[in-house]
Amino acid sequence: GDAILLSRSRPATLSSSTSRACTSMAVGVDGNDAMDAPLPMGDEKTLVQGPEPEAGLGTVGETKVVGPLPPENDKGFFVWKVDNFLRIRQLKIYSSVFYSGPHAWRLLMFPSGNNCSYVSVYLDVADGPQLPQHWQRQAQFSLKVLNHLDESRSLSKEATHVFQARANDWGFREFLPLADARAPNSGYVLNGALIIQCNVEVTWQPAQHEDSKKETGFVGLKNQGATCYMNSLLQTLDHIPYFRKAVYHMPTREDEDPENSIPLALQRIFYKLQHSDTSVSTKQLTKSFGWDASDTFMQHDVQEFNRVLVDKLEEKMKGTSVEGTMSHLFEGKCTNYVRCVNVDFESRREETFYDISLVVKGNKTIMDAFDEYVQEETLDGDNQYDAEKFGKQDAKKGVKFKRLPPVLQVHLMRFEFDFATEQMQKINQRFEFPEWLDLDAGDRKYLTDDADANERNLYKLHSVLVHSGGSNGGHYWVYMQPLAPERAGKWYKFDDERVTQVDPAEAMEGSFGDDAMAEVRPGHVVSYYRAGPKASSAYMLVYVRESAIKELNCEVADDVISPHLRAQLEREQREKERKRKERNEAHLFTVMKVATASEVAKQVGDLKWFDIVDHDQVPRFRVKKEETIGDFKAMLERELGVPVHKQRLWKWVHRQNKTFRPDKPLQHDYPDDMTPIMDIKDDQAPGPMYPKVQVEVCLYLEVVEDAEPPPPAPAPGDLGAMDPYADTDPYGAPMAGLATLDPMAVDLAPAYPLLRPEDIFLFVKFFDAATHTLSFLGTHLARTTDRLSDLSPALRRLQGLSEGVQLSVYEEVEFEAQVLFTPVREDRTLKEAELQNGDIIIFQTLPVPSGGAASPVAATDSMRAMSVEGAAPHPLAPSALDSSALPLAIPNFFSAVKNRVTVNLFKLQHASDGANIRERELPVKVAMDKRMSYDDVVAAVGQAVGCNAGFVRLTMHNCYTEQPKPAPVKFRGVNTLLELLTSFHKTSDTLYYEVLDIPLEELESKKSLRVSWHNLQCDETKVLSLLLAKETTVGTALEMIKQQVTLQLPTTDVHTGEALPAARCMRMLELFNHRIFKVFDNDEQIDNINDQYWTIRAEEIPVEERHMGADDRLVQVRHFYQEVKISMIHNFGEPFLMLIACDDTLAIVRQRINERLKLSPEEFAELKLGVINFGRIEYINETESVRARFRVEQGSMDDYLGIEHPGAPSGPAARKRFGARTTDKPIKIHA
């Protein structure tokens, strides 16, 4: 973010010159110099307004510059005298270049203000375009405007800024009021001159790195927005060769799409990291995860992503040759134990882990954290352990490692909840870790007695994943020491696209963190080199066992990669190198795009409807700029088979109506075939501020079939054989009598077909109203004096029509702003009709077949079959349109073309459907018209998907999130298809559809209620979608639910045997965040129930609750675990209700809970029960009455019976049973 600093004189807001801040503070200009005039280092005159400052002529390297000689240190002083200041009319002006040490600078001024009433002055990096990518430079500088009459009124301002590629200027938008500068006696302008002084000192500049591959041998990964956490982890895993080799061995198919295959996408990334010379994209991988654009801009925890990715890869590797690789590399085992102090009883339970989370707060080193991890906890007093037959006993509870993995991943817990601010806070305290980690230390105190004594647990540090920033945002990078012996002791920093070699001290000591708590706002990164509290610290460590390094550093040769993948990637690499070579040599070549009649015929009626051709689809020829037009024609003869003497090349021009047409022959401007290609100037589209460098030329090749090859050039002695008094040469060109000319000076016949002055070069299209097709017939050379009667025979001949066929002829005029076709009439000549070279004639036969108004319809069965295969149908194909309803006149036809759109229909997925946002199948493609009404659209969708149109409900597409909008479109809620496709001023081609059980119009008159049905064990067994009248009561809704579920309890009265209504044996509850907030009354209307933000649950009422006594209490039971260090309770899982009688002791309640949850004895033994009231826990003795502990009135949900778990639920089984423990959006890989 931009810093707010104070100068010595008055406050100043620092920003770039593109800033629009309106305060009296320092600002900056461009942030990017792309639109500024490039700095011509050898031409001072283009930069300086007024006389040059006193300076010598210096040479820096091989570049000759005008300005002061570079000083010996990083400090510089410069005086800019701006003459004729009050007469300057330019928007902005630059000073000459000056230096502070090797650093080039210049001043930038807006004499009339940068959109403000002040003179704006900035310090600009003069050599920014020549510096390496991602360059940075921190400098302190001051700017001073001298007052010639009163030095005390001289205006001075100071700033400190980190100049970089995206913000290469900085200064003061509101520097000197224009009123003061222009006042006659203010003293700032004397004899027309304004003088500005600048002091600048570069205080910090990191090493500039131009080529990561060249400097380090490694390349980086591109950041898609907020995927730095993923890039850091992928680099870490890629540099474990055993892991990379296992990924290569995952089976993939040649026809697989990497955007739908995680193994293939990961293989491609790993291969490119080995063989590419530039940074690698991860877009295919994130798409294979089922992520969209919004997911890539969402920051996540790297440890959480690591767990999800490893779980997904472990799942994908099942049944393959590399099954078990993830567990072999990362899985360890630990033993949780409870050992009684006074009796011989011990309980043990083994668990697997993939990483270890260590507490940072309060620990100085990683060994201190491991000591705390295995430290025993004493269970005594009210917290005694239930030792089965021995009853309550004092005990010691702890955990030790039974087996450690070859790759040990250590997560450092650097975030905690701050009760003072009620926010998460990052712990940046210093936490040291060694390069060699010995977990056999202390007489193997971290290991169990039955751990393998022959396994040496000495680990070497492989990677340090660093988080910089605060709890609300930040940035990840990774320091890594590769396993290869030749790189031993060398550390590298992988920061997205940049890879640099760093000092080992930076990788380790630089990642320990600070003693000071440094909470930095998101996006503001404090450099490692700067003073002050550090915002960056190690967040995850990866150690490798020393004895396993040889195995982990296995050879990964190219032959382990699937041949089809290797061949495909090699082809892509060759193509990439070819394009790179073309880019590098672009200044030596001109790309000639040559359209021919055959290319136009291919495109018209398919890719192109209006105008002539798409120039990106025509043949391209790379021609050296020094080659001549004659050389190029010879190339065309070789490549296209058109003899040189039959070639007439036309230049294209942009017209004011936004059309691009051939305008005049190339020979008109360049009659000499010896003209170099570099001299040909292509017509540029109107509007750009700076014309682009000529790198391509568009031409049309007309083949003049009746052109005769020129005769051989006569020898000088043969010139006398020609008619010396002829008025024209053999080719019709006027000439003076040769007898009066020097034979050696005679201009011989031109080598191109000539064009008469009255000729008009026209393109001809034909519209067949019967088949609804458009075709290109060729070109026609007409005359300016021709009328329709002269033109018609040629048109009939081109189409092969008989002489008596009547024609309707139009000129194509405009298409973008409006559809404009002008009829060609008999009463005007072509010249009077303003036809010119490159115009298009389109005609159809008469009479026009009868047809209705434009009313495009939906796809047919054949069209849907094409859509399933992913092939879009022809936008105007007869299979896609009702031929009886098409507009048949040419203008109407093109109006339909302009409004035609192929809509991609995706089936809308709900959260419970298991997909991310979209179904993983190709969309149904339907050709529609943007002018279609809502009813026409749903009719088209209904026909395309095979359902009644009235049952279709549509949802619009959000172009920014690439997701469906949250609310569907109401019945006739929009007027046209264009409105359906437009969102936030952007238009897409995507719609989502649902097929409802009842008509949408009827649905909107009812209330939809989503209810989760739970069995007696609190497991969700079914999700019901009820559609009820809005006045329906909860009791009636329960009756409907009763018909759709299987009940476990009897539904008859135990005394009378009569059937019970649903309201007597079932109930409906409202839940949120693992808490029950309400039990609905049976007579409450369902229109008052909100199932969008609250979870609505229905369940059976246990038999004992159906006959509650007056003193019985219905209490809420919740699962929870504690964070002891911060005394915080976390609820999770599914809560439930339980009847507590007056005389129920804790032992009775415990037994009933176990009967309901059906836990194993080992699991249930770890649970403790207590009453929680406003966050305070009261534990209960086994013989104590539970009812007596509830002091709040009947029906309150403020206090509840809590089931305390020893820790947060983990593992798939625990998550399935107890549910998620957080409401934050988790990382999900949908594949």
Side-chain angles (χ1 to χ4, degrees), residues 505-559:
E506 178 183 341
M508 295 179 59
E509 288 90 334
S511 303
F512 287 165
D514 280 344
D515 292 332
M517 299 290 289
E519 176 73 14
V520 179
R521 64 181 184 273
H524 186 73
V525 179
V526 180
S527 168
Y528 166 73
Y529 297 93
R530 306 199 200 149
K534 284 169 54 57
S536 59
S537 52
Y539 186 69
M540 184 172 167
L541 308 174
V542 179
Y543 283 92
V544 293
R545 184 184 280 123
E546 182 191 26
S547 59
I549 290 179
K550 185 175 181 181
E551 176 193 13
L552 297 175
N553 191 38
C554 61
E555 182 181 0
V556 186
D558 285 351
D559 56 9

Side-chain angles (χ1 to χ4, degrees), residues 411-428:
H411 165 229
L412 306 182
M413 300 169 66
R414 287 196 174 272
F415 292 95
E416 69 171 9
F417 188 80
D418 186 350
F419 284 94
T421 62
E422 295 186 351
Q423 293 181 348
M424 296 299 293
Q425 185 178 24
K426 185 178 179 184
I427 302 169
N428 272 309

Side-chain angles (χ1 to χ4, degrees), residues 864-1057:
R864 285 198 298 277
M866 294 173 65
S867 299
V868 171
E869 298 174 0
H874 194 293
L876 292 170
S879 62
L881 299 172
D882 180 357
S883 60
S884 66
L886 269 178
L888 300 178
I890 287 175
N892 293 340
F893 172 80
F894 276 91
S895 293
V897 171
K898 182 177 178 65
N899 289 284
R900 186 72 51 174
V901 60
T902 298
V903 179
N904 295 297
L905 294 175
F906 290 93
K907 187 175 181 181
L908 184 67
Q909 297 293 336
H910 295 285
S912 62
D913 294 337
N916 183 26
I917 295 299
R918 295 185 183 175
E919 202 172 29
R920 283 199 171 279
E921 62 184 30
L922 293 174
V924 177
K925 296 178 180 291
V926 183
M928 298 188 193
D929 191 299
K930 296 176 184 176
R931 299 167 295 180
M932 290 170 63
S933 67
Y934 173 87
D935 290 342
D936 290 333
V937 172
V938 294
V941 174
Q943 185 175 346
V945 302
C947 72
N948 188 312
F951 291 74
V952 172
R953 180 165 66 178
L954 301 175
T955 299
M956 294 171 62
H957 179 70
N958 188 321
C959 302
Y960 295 94
T961 64
E962 295 296 323
Q963 296 180 13
K965 286 194 170 183
V969 178
K970 291 186 177 296
F971 179 72
R972 292 179 179 167
V974 296
N975 294 320
T976 65
L977 174 63
L978 182 60
E979 293 179 36
L980 279 168
L981 298 177
T982 304
S983 173
F984 302 111
H985 307 291
K986 289 189 69 175
T987 303
S988 74
D989 60 358
T990 299
L991 283 177
Y992 303 88
Y993 72 93
E994 301 170 84
V995 180
L996 306 174
D997 296 327
I998 63 172
L1000 175 59
E1001 189 175 12
E1002 180 183 346
L1003 173 67
E1004 292 185 351
S1005 67
K1006 296 181 179 293
K1007 166 75 174 183
S1008 176
L1009 187 65
R1010 192 178 179 89
V1011 181
S1012 174
W1013 174 257
H1014 284 235
N1015 61 18
L1016 294 176
Q1017 288 73 45
C1018 297
D1019 296 327
E1020 181 183 272
T1021 60
K1022 196 172 186 180
V1023 176
L1024 305 170
S1025 293
L1026 305 179
L1027 192 61
L1028 307 165
K1030 295 182 178 180
E1031 62 274 10
T1032 302
T1033 64
V1034 169
T1036 305
L1038 290 174
E1039 288 288 354
M1040 293 185 62
I1041 294 173
K1042 184 178 178 182
Q1043 305 302 319
Q1044 302 181 47
V1045 299
T1046 302
L1047 302 180
Q1048 298 172 271
L1049 298 176
T1051 59
T1052 57
D1053 190 285
V1054 294
H1055 302 295
T1056 64

